[in-house]
Amino acid sequence: MFVALRQRMPSLSKAEHHIAELVLDRPAVVVESTITRLATLAGTSPASVARFCRAVGYAGYKEFRIAIAAANSREEAARELFRVDDAEIDANDSALDVVTKVAYQEARAIEETARSLDLDALDAVVQAIRSAPRIDVFGAGSSGLTAQDLQLKLHRVGVPSFCWTDAHLALTSFALTGPECVAIGISHSGQTVEPNQMLALARSRGATTVAITNYPDSPIADVADLLLVTSARESRYRTGAMSSRLAQMAIVDFLVVRLLQGEIDRVGGLLRLTYDAVQAHRLDG
């Protein structure tokens, strides 16, 4: 429930966005509120709340409030597991509070990403990679770290892949893609210009385009044949660049392990070769 609501936020109107923020920040208040009270708290009208409920997939406010109540109960149970009363980090929190809350937030990001992931899309990406003559991966900023991790893992198992974090160099490479090639763009917001440009160029060349993003309704979805969606939460002290990293890395691991299934005999030798190659650089080697 909360995952889907966060992912829909970029496509909501300004009034609907305010309501969504209130719901995500104070879900317990929603459970206790009539549609009129929620509208007052959000600074909008009951009609806007009703439109908001329909925009996020519910017939009306009653159904929406029931779904919020159920989701909030699960959220409270998850916090209880980590012994966290409030997941938000406060300026006066102790070191133990900060460590516990960050651990909770990161565990939830991976768990929710796994639970909401489109498994058919995952298998479609794996199949495209298996048959591709080359794979190009691009990410800017912190998403570039994820791109590097994916390229390294593919390279170690003999998949011809290239990682780019410089936009100009990336454009020259994505321009050389073609049918059966795979182009992967990574963007937490889905609104970063460069990965969108890369995928648009690769699509025009006939390549299969893949986007890893936190927002399936964002512009990058318009240039992606396949979407792999993360579920990373932002907070006061953890921006998208921080919260997206582990969720994106989890997607990479899902992809690579699925790719290796049934092929461990073939790739086992490659993994051993790459492992042995760096052993001479160990202090105890």
Side-chain angles (χ1 to χ4, degrees):
M1 169 65 184
F2 294 140
V3 171
L5 187 53
R6 283 193 298 273
Q7 290 174 345
R8 286 178 179 264
M9 286 183 72
S11 64
L12 298 177
S13 69
K14 184 176 181 180
E16 292 167 348
H17 200 279
H18 284 317
I19 299 168
E21 288 180 332
L22 174 62
V23 171
L24 291 171
D25 289 343
R26 302 165 63 189
V29 171
V30 179
V31 176
E32 300 165 356
S33 297
T34 64
I35 189 172
T36 302
R37 181 165 184 261
L38 181 61
T40 300
L41 291 172
T44 186
S45 66
S48 293
V49 174
R51 283 194 297 271
F52 163 77
C53 293
R54 291 193 294 270
V56 296
Y58 293 88
Y61 182 67
K62 179 180 178 180
E63 292 80 1
F64 175 75
R65 187 165 64 169
I66 291 172
I68 287 290
N72 193 49
S73 295
R74 290 191 292 271
E75 187 87 2
E76 289 176 349
R79 288 198 298 268
E80 177 63 25
L81 182 64
F82 278 80
R83 299 183 180 180
V84 174
D85 293 328
D86 179 4
E88 274 295 332
I89 296 171
D90 186 83
N92 297 319
D93 280 345
S94 67
L96 176 60
D97 291 333
V98 170
V99 169
T100 303
K101 289 181 179 182
V102 170
Y104 165 78
Q105 292 166 351
E106 295 189 347
R108 292 292 284 168
I110 295 174
E111 179 185 352
E112 291 177 353
T113 295
R115 184 184 297 123
S116 61
L117 187 63
D118 184 338
L119 301 181
D120 290 335
L122 179 72
D123 278 347
V125 174
V126 168
Q127 187 56 44
I129 290 174
R130 280 201 177 113
S131 58
R134 63 180 281 163
I135 293 95
D136 281 271
V137 189
F138 178 84
S142 66
S143 293
L145 301 176
T146 305
Q148 292 171 351
D149 185 58
L150 175 56
Q151 188 272 334
L152 174 62
K153 286 181 167 68
L154 293 176
H155 181 72
R156 287 193 64 192
V157 296
V159 176
S161 54
F162 305 88
C163 172
W164 308 97
T165 55
D166 179 275
H168 287 192
L169 294 177
L171 284 168
T172 63
S173 184
F174 277 70
L176 299 177
T177 59
E180 298 186 1
C181 293
V182 174
I184 302 175
I186 306 173
S187 171
H188 173 71
S189 69
Q191 301 189 52
T192 307
V193 172
E194 292 84 357
N196 293 19
Q197 287 179 332
M198 305 305 161
L199 294 192
L201 177 59
R203 174 181 270 186
S204 72
R205 298 285 299 156
T208 297
T209 55
V210 180
I212 299 176
T213 183
N214 206 66
Y215 299 98
D217 293 333
S218 61
I220 201 169
D222 295 333
V223 291
D225 299 312
L226 297 166
L227 278 178
L228 297 176
V229 182
T230 59
S231 177
R233 309 182 184 199
E234 295 188 21
S235 67
R236 187 182 310 146
Y237 292 94
R238 299 178 74 243
T239 64
M242 295 173 66
S243 62
S244 64
R245 187 182 63 253
L246 281 181
Q248 290 177 350
M249 292 294 191
I251 294 276
V252 167
D253 287 347
F254 300 154
L255 268 176
V256 173
V257 172
R258 189 67 168 144
L259 181 67
L260 298 186
Q261 269 188 307
E263 296 190 46
I264 197 62
D265 291 339
R266 180 185 69 80
V267 301
L270 298 175
L271 292 172
R272 171 54 62 180
L273 285 172
T274 57
Y275 175 82
D276 290 343
V278 298
Q279 292 312 295
H281 291 265
R282 291 170 55 97
L283 292 175
D284 59 351

